[in-house]
């Protein structure tokens, strides 16, 4: 059985019900919108985010569940999908998960409006049901995701990202949404504030480990659906490169920065940069950091008794750092 199917086992029934509820939450009286949202639903990914919501809800409440849990998962998916649709417009990307993006099929104007529609649907789903605690958790995530993207753009221009800034960027860009999922899962079943905050921290650690793993793929030889060196070509400063820049000679640093600024489209030069990062322990250091965050997440789970839901979350943590894509 694939890891994702194994993780999903204790919440299989809830996930099946969720698919129907999620479709309902996107319904509109505008036929064009329904055609586009139907296209989105049919091309769903692994659905890791609702899985986090459900597994955390079940773990902290000893198997309990609530209609609010479904709404919380729907809000997360609506707002996450809205950000993906908008991201594809910003990045001028024509593909998403191997299929044409919304902007590729229906142009930018419609894509932006669809993203806005999904954002408002997510907000109203919470407001109409007085789920203000869940709304607050997802709103914090949306604010931080925007800040993270803008911080990365600002720093990429100067190539002056420190390790502390890198972690701030990935915490906001990637980890904050996973943190919101776990916080919402706990809050949806009436957990106390301490438990909600603890679960947010748990999600944040997993989200950081997930992004570090993504950054390591850029230096991998494996076939992962994107060419290696793509971050270097896009002048993205990730941890392997940041560590190497901070631990090499002045001359080597000048060569690295010159390679990224002026020769980032030169395949041979990009390969040389990748080799240099590997030789100077950039990958070893980054892998260690990823495992540090994985262990921090596991330590939080130690506070909870053994259950099939806790086991699935432990399997999820392993999957995040061991996955091949």
């Amino acid at each position: 059985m694939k890891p994702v199917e194994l993780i999903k086992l204790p919440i299989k029934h809830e996930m099946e019900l969720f698919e129907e509820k999620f479709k309902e939450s996107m319904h509109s009286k505008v036929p064009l919108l329904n055609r586009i949202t139907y296209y989105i639903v049919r091309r769903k990914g692994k659905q890791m985010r609702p899985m986090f919501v459900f597994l955390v809800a079940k773990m902290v409440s000893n198997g309990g569940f609530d209609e609010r849990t479904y709404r919380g998962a729907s809000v997360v998916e609506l707002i996450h999908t809205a950000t993906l649709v908008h991201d594809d417009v910003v990045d001028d990307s024509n593909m998403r998960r191997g299929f044409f993006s919304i902007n590729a099929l229906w142009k930018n104007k419609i894509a932006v409006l669809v993203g806005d529609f999904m954002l408002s649907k997510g907000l109203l789903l919470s407001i109409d049901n007085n789920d203000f605690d869940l709304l607050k958790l997802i709103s914090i995530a949306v604010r931080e995701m925007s800040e993270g993207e803008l911080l990365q753009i600002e720093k990429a221009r100067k190539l002056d990202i420190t390790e502390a800034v890198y972690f701030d960027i990935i915490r906001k860009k990637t980890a904050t949404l996973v943190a919101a999922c776990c916080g919402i899962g706990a809050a949806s079943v009436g957990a106390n504030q301490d438990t909600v905050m603890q679960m947010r921290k748990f999600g944040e650690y997993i989200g950081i480990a997930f992004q570090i793993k993504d950054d390591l793929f850029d230096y991998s030889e494996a076939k992962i659906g994107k060419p290696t060196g793509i971050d270097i070509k896009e002048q993205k400063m990730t941890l392997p490169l940041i560590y190497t820049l901070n631990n090499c000679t002045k001359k080597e640093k000048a060569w690295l920065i010159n390679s990224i600024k002026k020769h980032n489209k030169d395949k041979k030069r990009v390969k040389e940069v990748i080799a240099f990062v590997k030789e100077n322990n950039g990958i070893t250091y980054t892998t260690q950091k990823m495992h540090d965050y994985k262990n921090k997440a596991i330590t939080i789970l130690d506070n909870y008794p053994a259950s099939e839901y806790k086991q699935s979350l432990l399997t999820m943590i392993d999957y995040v750092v061991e996955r091949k894509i």
Side-chain angles (χ1 to χ4, degrees):
M1 191 180 285
K2 289 180 180 175
V4 175
E5 294 306 313
L6 198 63
I7 293 161
K8 211 184 276 189
L9 266 183
I11 49 164
K12 197 167 185 291
H13 175 66
E14 287 83 359
M15 288 296 291
E16 284 166 2
L17 265 178
F18 166 72
E19 287 204 26
E20 291 309 310
K21 288 176 185 287
F22 183 53
K23 276 180 207 166
E24 283 170 29
S25 70
M26 285 204 283
H27 187 71
S28 159
K29 289 176 182 171
V30 179
L32 174 61
L33 255 174
N34 287 331
R35 275 207 308 280
I36 296 170
T37 54
Y38 176 71
Y39 178 82
I40 290 168
V41 168
R42 282 187 61 211
R43 282 147 189 82
K44 63 181 184 295
K46 296 185 187 82
Q47 292 190 302
M48 305 296 271
R49 287 159 194 84
M51 282 158 65
F52 272 119
V53 175
F54 295 154
L55 288 169
V56 167
K58 292 259 190 186
M59 182 186 73
V60 303
S61 63
N62 297 316
F65 216 69
D66 196 283
E67 195 59 38
R68 265 166 49 92
T69 314
Y70 285 116
R71 291 200 298 270
S74 291
V75 166
V76 167
E77 277 296 88
L78 281 163
I79 287 175
H80 172 59
T81 309
T83 62
L84 293 183
V85 171
H86 283 164
D87 279 353
D88 287 339
V89 174
V90 171
D91 298 337
D92 199 20
S93 174
N94 289 325
M95 301 299 286
R96 167 69 61 182
R97 294 175 184 142
F99 296 96
F100 284 116
S101 59
I102 303 303
N103 50 300
L105 292 172
W106 285 281
K107 305 302 175 195
N108 284 353
K109 185 175 180 178
I110 288 175
V112 170
L113 292 169
V114 167
D116 291 348
F117 169 78
M118 297 184 90
L119 193 63
S120 66
K121 274 283 192 181
L123 300 177
L124 285 168
L125 185 60
S126 295
I127 292 165
D128 290 346
N129 292 283
N130 294 321
D131 296 331
F132 296 109
D133 53 340
L134 309 187
L135 181 58
K136 184 176 181 181
L137 287 164
I138 196 65
S139 298
I140 290 167
V142 173
R143 183 195 71 207
E144 289 194 328
M145 285 159 71
S146 306
E147 286 176 350
E149 286 284 358
L150 288 165
L151 181 59
Q152 186 174 49
I153 290 166
E154 179 189 20
K155 293 293 179 182
R157 287 175 181 160
K158 297 178 185 172
L159 298 185
D160 65 345
I161 296 181
T162 62
E163 192 171 311
V165 171
Y166 165 81
F167 278 108
D168 194 27
I169 288 169
I170 67 169
R171 184 186 66 76
K172 287 178 171 174
K173 261 190 72 177
T174 305
T176 191
L177 192 61
V178 186
C181 293
C182 297
I184 284 169
S188 72
V189 288
N192 63 42
Q193 198 56 25
D194 284 348
T195 302
V196 172
M197 288 301 104
Q198 191 179 53
M199 285 296 102
R200 272 198 83 237
K201 192 53 77 175
F202 167 74
E204 185 179 293
Y205 292 151
I206 294 178
I208 290 172
F210 181 93
Q211 187 56 55
I212 294 174
K213 178 69 173 181
D214 254 19
D215 293 344
L216 282 166
F217 280 140
D218 207 46
Y219 295 84
S220 161
E221 302 295 327
K223 296 265 185 292
I224 56 158
K226 75 164 191 173
T228 54
I230 202 86
D231 288 342
I232 296 165
K233 285 171 191 143
E234 292 176 1
Q235 298 187 356
K236 279 184 188 167
M237 298 290 281
T238 58
L239 192 54
L241 195 54
I242 293 164
Y243 173 82
T244 308
L245 279 167
N246 291 333
N247 291 276
C248 63
T249 67
K250 221 172 181 179
K251 190 179 175 185
E252 288 167 337
K253 189 173 183 176
W255 174 80
L256 271 174
I257 288 173
N258 181 260
S259 301
I260 296 154
K261 277 190 171 176
K262 296 180 180 171
H263 303 280
N264 57 320
K265 300 288 191 287
D266 180 338
K267 283 183 183 176
K268 184 172 174 286
R269 191 71 166 256
V270 168
K271 275 187 179 175
E272 287 169 4
V273 169
I274 291 171
F276 186 80
V277 168
K278 285 179 178 175
E279 284 159 21
N280 287 270
N281 299 318
I283 305 305
T284 308
Y285 177 80
T286 302
T287 304
Q288 183 56 56
K289 280 286 180 187
M290 177 180 69
H291 283 286
D292 288 348
Y293 279 97
K294 171 193 170 179
N295 293 332
K296 283 182 184 181
I298 291 169
T299 302
I300 289 177
L301 289 190
D302 288 343
N303 297 312
Y304 294 88
S307 70
E308 57 183 337
Y309 314 113
K310 177 181 173 178
Q311 187 51 53
S312 271
L313 286 168
L314 287 166
T315 307
M316 181 91 89
I317 296 169
D318 280 337
Y319 171 72
V320 161
V321 298
E322 304 298 337
R323 67 201 162 95
K324 299 288 183 276
I325 185 165

